[in-house]
Amino acid sequence: MYKIAIIGFGVVGQGFAGLLESKAEVLRKEHGLEIRLVAIADSQKGSVVDPEGIEIAELLAWARDGKSLNLFPGKEHGLDAVATIERCGADIVFEASWTDIKTAEPATTHIRRALAQGMHVVTTNKGPLALHAHKLLAEAKDRGLELRFEGTVMSGTPLLNLARYCLAGCQISEIRGILNGTTNFILTQMSEGGSYGEALKTAQDLGYAEAVPDADVLGWDALAKVCILANTVFGAEITPDPKTLTCVGITGISAEDIEAARKAGQVYKLIGRVWREDGRVQVSVSPQRVPQEDPLAGVSGAGNALTFTTDVLGEVTIKGPGAGKIPTGYAMLVDLLDIHRALTCRKGD
Ligand code: HSE
């Protein structure tokens, strides 16, 4: 049985909690995994700590009604995220707080506090992995702890785990694809005659867009994701600085550009790319005209897709959701299972 804490109880935190509830029996019966939720903290909604366990269905109903977590039945209330981590006694902390890809805070502080307390960590937060992957992974390793972050790229679509486990015997020379759901949604809507403004508004309403949508439409979110891939799959150390790296968003793409591409049998996609050149790892993000026969061309709406170019298998493409409450919550569930497997393995069970 693992005691867990959730830091950040917005769309992703609630998506994860919902899956813990709906999948509880599967987790127990098929994976021998039981959890006790001992703390939740959210900068807007308040916090509750209870070592005896927090009833998840009740908690979700509470959050749906917009009630403060400070009033939810429990032992301690009103702590900030760091104090919650320090006082909750969890085995695993699930970090899903507000994403800031420029400073990676407060998420990095949450992760480091949890590791310092001897807690394993799962995060879907892109900032810490885009800016500090090596340091955080080293910190976890030095302490004998697990740090997982599947949801940082392509949400619950098993992209990082695909690279980490299934492509482990391959040399990957390039990763190229659609990494931002909001911009793919906007480009798809525009290709169907919709306007940029309306499409962005819908993406915001559907919860795909970042709090500040500049991060999506200017390419910064996709850049953070290619840097996570560069740093964790290719072992590079690249900081996602849009001023020094090739990073072009979709704001310059007009309805006329999209129509011209369509007449030529092509579609516009915001393409993120990581590749090796002259022994160095390179990254870029830019809108490109993709031919219809490319597997990326048919990826519409908020979908994401990536093609790995490998020595053994040639091209391997994975397509799936890249954002949203349940897909991103699912990434946390899968990371929980992966940590459970790793810890079970250590014990030699
Ligand atoms: N704003 C991001 C997107 C969310 O649209 O892809 C998922 O990282």
Side-chain angles (χ1 to χ4, degrees), residues 126 152 179-182 208-210 216 221 225 304 322-323:
K126 289 160 277 192
T152 56
L179 287 165
N180 181 270
T182 300
Y208 301 136
E210 297 298 305
D216 295 298
D221 175 75
K225 290 167 180 165
N304 282 194

Side-chain angles (χ1 to χ4, degrees), residues 183-204:
T183 47
N184 204 52
F185 183 80
I186 294 172
L187 291 173
T188 305
Q189 295 288 101
M190 286 174 74
S191 72
E192 291 164 2
S195 80
Y196 174 94
E198 274 167 26
L200 175 58
K201 168 87 177 52
T202 311
Q204 285 173 310

Side-chain angles (χ1 to χ4, degrees), residues 230-285:
N231 297 344
T232 63
V233 179
F234 284 69
E237 286 203 48
I238 303 177
T239 302
D241 181 356
K243 291 198 193 90
T244 55
L245 300 169
T246 301
C247 181
V248 183
I250 62 159
T251 48
I253 306 293
S254 65
E256 290 73 34
D257 293 330
I258 289 174
E259 180 56 17
R262 193 189 62 77
K263 283 190 179 143
Q266 298 168 333
V267 282
Y268 264 102
K269 296 289 173 198
L270 184 67
I271 299 294
R273 198 173 157 231
V274 188
W275 74 104
R276 282 181 209 280
E277 194 172 301
D278 302 329
R280 291 187 57 200
V281 179
Q282 312 276 355
V283 298
S284 71
V285 172

Side-chain angles (χ1 to χ4, degrees), residues 91-257:
D91 303 304
I92 310 174
V93 168
F94 292 80
E95 210 288 337
S97 71
W98 149 278
T99 292
D100 183 329
I101 49 181
K102 282 192 189 149
T103 66
E105 290 295 354
T108 304
T109 298
H110 300 161
I111 294 170
R112 298 195 69 213
R113 283 317 299 159
L115 293 173
Q117 298 286 315
M119 298 164 177
H120 307 286
V121 176
V122 171
T123 187
T124 54
N125 207 310
K126 289 160 277 192
L129 272 300
L131 268 77
H132 310 299
H134 289 282
K135 272 193 202 141
L136 292 172
L137 285 164
E139 211 165 310
K141 191 170 176 210
D142 289 350
R143 295 176 188 274
L145 296 166
E146 304 290 339
L147 169 60
R148 293 288 187 281
F149 47 94
E150 176 65 63
T152 56
V153 186
M154 280 182 83
S155 69
T157 304
L159 186 272
L160 292 171
N161 283 327
L162 174 67
R164 179 186 171 113
Y165 296 114
C166 309
L167 298 179
C170 290
Q171 169 92 35
I172 300 168
S173 54
E174 181 183 20
I175 308 177
R176 171 183 165 273
I178 299 163
L179 287 165
N180 181 270
T182 300
T183 47
N184 204 52
F185 183 80
I186 294 172
L187 291 173
T188 305
Q189 295 288 101
M190 286 174 74
S191 72
E192 291 164 2
S195 80
Y196 174 94
E198 274 167 26
L200 175 58
K201 168 87 177 52
T202 311
Q204 285 173 310
D205 292 346
L206 292 171
Y208 301 136
E210 297 298 305
V212 181
D214 277 6
D216 295 298
V217 298
L218 299 179
W220 304 339
D221 175 75
L223 187 68
K225 290 167 180 165
V226 288
C227 287
I228 293 173
L229 293 174
N231 297 344
T232 63
V233 179
F234 284 69
E237 286 203 48
I238 303 177
T239 302
D241 181 356
K243 291 198 193 90
T244 55
L245 300 169
T246 301
C247 181
V248 183
I250 62 159
T251 48
I253 306 293
S254 65
E256 290 73 34
D257 293 330

